[in-house]
Amino acid sequence: MPGDGGALRVSQDVSVSRLVADQAIHLQYTPKSNRHGVYVFMLDGEARVDDITLARRDSRGAWGDSPITIQTDGEGADLLIIETIQ
């Protein structure tokens, strides 16, 4: 689409985030509301999402408004985080 800065238009309540880490990171991702689901896709590397270890091409889904804990080590991690209404 001309003039959109390369963004992809999605006609839905959705947020897409990417986390690329080359050092150890510990963060909490909080969904917008209890009506949203969050999907974490491991593009490369390894990370722990809540208490589950994800490796390359693994994913994890969570629903509700509880924060999701994401931990990476210093080996590098590339995650795609998609939040959408259930």
Side-chain angles (χ1 to χ4, degrees):
M1 291 179 250
D4 64 1
L8 174 66
R9 177 172 287 188
V10 179
S11 297
Q12 189 173 359
D13 182 6
V14 64
S15 297
V16 179
S17 303
R18 186 170 178 195
L19 171 64
V20 179
D22 60 358
Q23 61 185 350
I25 293 177
H26 180 250
L27 64 93
Q28 287 194 323
Y29 184 97
T30 303
K32 293 179 189 176
S33 75
N34 63 354
R35 295 179 37 215
H36 284 80
V38 178
Y39 303 91
V40 180
F41 298 95
M42 199 69 215
L43 299 173
D44 202 12
E46 190 172 287
R48 290 186 62 77
V49 178
D50 293 329
D51 289 325
I52 298 174
T53 300
L54 301 182
R56 185 174 183 268
R57 300 183 68 181
D58 287 342
S59 63
R60 166 107 165 96
W63 297 266
D65 55 1
S66 297
I68 297 166
T69 301
I70 300 173
Q71 294 177 287
T72 67
D73 57 20
E75 299 297 316
D78 191 353
L79 298 94
L80 188 63
I81 304 165
I82 300 173
E83 178 178 351
T84 188
I85 200 106
Q86 293 184 27

